Short mmCIF file of all heavy atoms in Angstrom, two decimals:
data_model
loop_
_atom_site.label_atom_id
_atom_site.label_comp_id
_atom_site.label_asym_id
_atom_site.label_seq_id
_atom_site.Cartn_x
_atom_site.Cartn_y
_atom_site.Cartn_z
N LYS A 11 13.45 -6.94 19.09
CA LYS A 11 13.89 -6.37 17.83
C LYS A 11 13.35 -7.23 16.66
O LYS A 11 13.28 -8.40 16.72
CB LYS A 11 15.41 -6.44 17.78
CG LYS A 11 16.05 -5.76 16.59
CD LYS A 11 17.55 -5.91 16.70
CE LYS A 11 18.25 -4.62 16.51
NZ LYS A 11 19.71 -4.70 16.54
N VAL A 12 12.97 -6.45 15.63
CA VAL A 12 12.56 -7.13 14.36
C VAL A 12 13.64 -6.77 13.35
O VAL A 12 14.06 -5.66 13.24
CB VAL A 12 11.15 -6.67 13.91
CG1 VAL A 12 11.06 -5.22 13.58
CG2 VAL A 12 10.72 -7.54 12.68
N TYR A 13 14.08 -7.80 12.66
CA TYR A 13 15.05 -7.59 11.51
C TYR A 13 14.30 -7.75 10.22
O TYR A 13 13.65 -8.74 9.96
CB TYR A 13 16.12 -8.75 11.58
CG TYR A 13 16.99 -8.70 12.77
CD1 TYR A 13 16.67 -9.35 13.93
CD2 TYR A 13 18.23 -8.01 12.79
CE1 TYR A 13 17.57 -9.33 15.05
CE2 TYR A 13 19.14 -7.94 13.85
CZ TYR A 13 18.75 -8.59 14.97
OH TYR A 13 19.57 -8.59 16.07
N LEU A 14 14.32 -6.66 9.46
CA LEU A 14 13.64 -6.74 8.12
C LEU A 14 14.76 -6.94 7.09
O LEU A 14 15.72 -6.22 6.97
CB LEU A 14 13.01 -5.34 7.84
CG LEU A 14 11.85 -4.96 8.83
CD1 LEU A 14 11.37 -3.55 8.55
CD2 LEU A 14 10.72 -6.00 8.81
N LEU A 15 14.57 -7.97 6.34
CA LEU A 15 15.58 -8.41 5.33
C LEU A 15 14.96 -8.41 3.92
O LEU A 15 13.89 -8.91 3.68
CB LEU A 15 16.02 -9.91 5.64
CG LEU A 15 16.83 -10.54 4.58
CD1 LEU A 15 18.26 -9.88 4.46
CD2 LEU A 15 17.08 -12.02 4.91
N HIS A 16 15.72 -7.78 2.99
CA HIS A 16 15.32 -7.82 1.65
C HIS A 16 16.47 -8.43 0.82
O HIS A 16 17.62 -8.03 0.97
CB HIS A 16 14.99 -6.41 1.07
CG HIS A 16 14.64 -6.46 -0.39
ND1 HIS A 16 13.45 -6.96 -0.82
CD2 HIS A 16 15.28 -6.04 -1.47
CE1 HIS A 16 13.40 -6.85 -2.17
NE2 HIS A 16 14.45 -6.34 -2.57
N VAL A 17 16.13 -9.37 0.01
CA VAL A 17 17.10 -9.99 -0.93
C VAL A 17 16.66 -9.64 -2.38
O VAL A 17 15.69 -10.11 -2.87
CB VAL A 17 17.08 -11.57 -0.83
CG1 VAL A 17 18.07 -12.17 -1.68
CG2 VAL A 17 17.37 -11.94 0.65
N PRO A 18 17.45 -8.73 -3.07
CA PRO A 18 17.03 -8.30 -4.40
C PRO A 18 17.10 -9.49 -5.30
O PRO A 18 18.08 -10.16 -5.41
CB PRO A 18 18.00 -7.21 -4.73
CG PRO A 18 18.99 -7.20 -3.71
CD PRO A 18 18.60 -8.09 -2.56
N GLU A 19 15.98 -9.75 -6.01
CA GLU A 19 15.89 -10.93 -6.97
C GLU A 19 15.62 -10.44 -8.34
O GLU A 19 14.94 -9.41 -8.56
CB GLU A 19 14.78 -11.85 -6.50
CG GLU A 19 14.96 -12.65 -5.28
CD GLU A 19 13.81 -13.58 -5.06
OE1 GLU A 19 13.83 -14.68 -5.67
OE2 GLU A 19 12.86 -13.25 -4.38
N VAL A 20 16.08 -11.24 -9.30
CA VAL A 20 15.68 -11.04 -10.66
C VAL A 20 14.35 -11.68 -10.91
O VAL A 20 14.22 -12.92 -10.62
CB VAL A 20 16.71 -11.63 -11.68
CG1 VAL A 20 16.23 -11.48 -13.05
CG2 VAL A 20 18.09 -10.97 -11.46
N LEU A 21 13.34 -10.92 -11.31
CA LEU A 21 12.01 -11.50 -11.58
C LEU A 21 11.87 -11.79 -13.05
O LEU A 21 12.44 -11.00 -13.89
CB LEU A 21 10.93 -10.55 -11.07
CG LEU A 21 10.97 -10.19 -9.61
CD1 LEU A 21 9.88 -9.22 -9.24
CD2 LEU A 21 10.74 -11.48 -8.78
N SER A 22 11.06 -12.70 -13.42
CA SER A 22 10.88 -13.04 -14.80
C SER A 22 9.69 -12.33 -15.47
O SER A 22 9.36 -12.51 -16.53
CB SER A 22 10.73 -14.57 -15.02
OG SER A 22 9.62 -15.05 -14.21
N TYR A 23 9.00 -11.45 -14.62
CA TYR A 23 7.86 -10.74 -15.08
C TYR A 23 7.76 -9.44 -14.30
O TYR A 23 8.30 -9.25 -13.27
CB TYR A 23 6.58 -11.57 -14.91
CG TYR A 23 6.38 -12.03 -13.44
CD1 TYR A 23 5.65 -11.28 -12.61
CD2 TYR A 23 7.05 -13.19 -12.96
CE1 TYR A 23 5.50 -11.63 -11.26
CE2 TYR A 23 6.93 -13.51 -11.63
CZ TYR A 23 6.14 -12.78 -10.74
OH TYR A 23 5.98 -13.13 -9.44
N THR A 24 6.96 -8.49 -14.85
CA THR A 24 6.72 -7.23 -14.18
C THR A 24 5.75 -7.40 -13.04
O THR A 24 4.76 -8.08 -13.24
CB THR A 24 6.22 -6.23 -15.20
OG1 THR A 24 7.20 -6.03 -16.23
CG2 THR A 24 5.96 -4.80 -14.54
N THR A 25 6.03 -6.75 -11.91
CA THR A 25 5.12 -6.96 -10.73
C THR A 25 5.04 -5.60 -10.01
O THR A 25 5.94 -4.81 -10.04
CB THR A 25 5.58 -8.10 -9.83
OG1 THR A 25 4.60 -8.29 -8.89
CG2 THR A 25 6.86 -7.76 -9.18
N THR A 26 3.91 -5.45 -9.32
CA THR A 26 3.72 -4.29 -8.48
C THR A 26 3.92 -4.62 -7.04
O THR A 26 3.49 -5.66 -6.57
CB THR A 26 2.30 -3.72 -8.69
OG1 THR A 26 2.06 -3.41 -10.08
CG2 THR A 26 2.08 -2.45 -7.91
N MET A 27 4.59 -3.73 -6.30
CA MET A 27 4.85 -3.97 -4.91
C MET A 27 3.86 -3.19 -4.05
O MET A 27 3.24 -2.27 -4.51
CB MET A 27 6.32 -3.61 -4.53
CG MET A 27 7.31 -4.45 -5.33
SD MET A 27 9.03 -4.34 -4.66
CE MET A 27 9.40 -2.63 -4.68
N VAL A 28 3.78 -3.55 -2.72
CA VAL A 28 2.88 -2.85 -1.76
C VAL A 28 3.54 -1.67 -1.20
O VAL A 28 4.67 -1.34 -1.54
CB VAL A 28 2.41 -3.85 -0.64
CG1 VAL A 28 1.56 -4.97 -1.32
CG2 VAL A 28 3.60 -4.37 0.15
N TRP A 29 2.94 -1.03 -0.19
CA TRP A 29 3.42 0.16 0.48
C TRP A 29 3.52 1.34 -0.49
O TRP A 29 4.44 2.21 -0.34
CB TRP A 29 4.65 -0.07 1.23
CG TRP A 29 4.54 -0.84 2.47
CD1 TRP A 29 3.74 -0.51 3.57
CD2 TRP A 29 5.19 -2.06 2.83
NE1 TRP A 29 3.87 -1.44 4.51
CE2 TRP A 29 4.81 -2.39 4.13
CE3 TRP A 29 6.15 -2.83 2.21
CZ2 TRP A 29 5.24 -3.54 4.84
CZ3 TRP A 29 6.58 -4.00 2.87
CH2 TRP A 29 6.12 -4.34 4.18
N GLY A 30 2.71 1.39 -1.46
CA GLY A 30 2.73 2.53 -2.40
C GLY A 30 3.97 2.54 -3.32
O GLY A 30 4.23 3.54 -3.94
N LEU A 31 4.66 1.45 -3.44
CA LEU A 31 5.83 1.34 -4.32
C LEU A 31 5.35 0.98 -5.70
O LEU A 31 4.37 0.37 -5.92
CB LEU A 31 6.86 0.36 -3.76
CG LEU A 31 7.44 0.69 -2.39
CD1 LEU A 31 8.36 -0.41 -1.90
CD2 LEU A 31 8.19 2.08 -2.42
N GLY A 32 6.19 1.37 -6.69
CA GLY A 32 5.84 1.22 -8.06
C GLY A 32 6.10 -0.25 -8.55
O GLY A 32 6.17 -1.24 -7.78
N VAL A 33 6.27 -0.34 -9.88
CA VAL A 33 6.47 -1.59 -10.52
C VAL A 33 7.94 -1.93 -10.61
O VAL A 33 8.77 -1.07 -10.82
CB VAL A 33 5.77 -1.52 -11.93
CG1 VAL A 33 6.09 -2.72 -12.79
CG2 VAL A 33 4.33 -1.24 -11.85
N VAL A 34 8.25 -3.21 -10.50
CA VAL A 34 9.61 -3.68 -10.69
C VAL A 34 9.60 -4.46 -12.01
O VAL A 34 8.84 -5.39 -12.22
CB VAL A 34 10.02 -4.64 -9.54
CG1 VAL A 34 11.42 -5.24 -9.85
CG2 VAL A 34 10.05 -3.92 -8.21
N ASN A 35 10.47 -4.05 -12.93
CA ASN A 35 10.55 -4.67 -14.26
C ASN A 35 11.63 -5.74 -14.22
O ASN A 35 12.67 -5.61 -13.55
CB ASN A 35 10.92 -3.58 -15.32
CG ASN A 35 9.76 -2.63 -15.54
OD1 ASN A 35 8.64 -3.00 -15.65
ND2 ASN A 35 10.14 -1.35 -15.46
#
């Protein structure tokens, strides 16, 4: 089994994510 974990963080700058996802402000 693989556990995929995401921890939502506050970023100090705009960035683009992979897998065709958009920009996080």
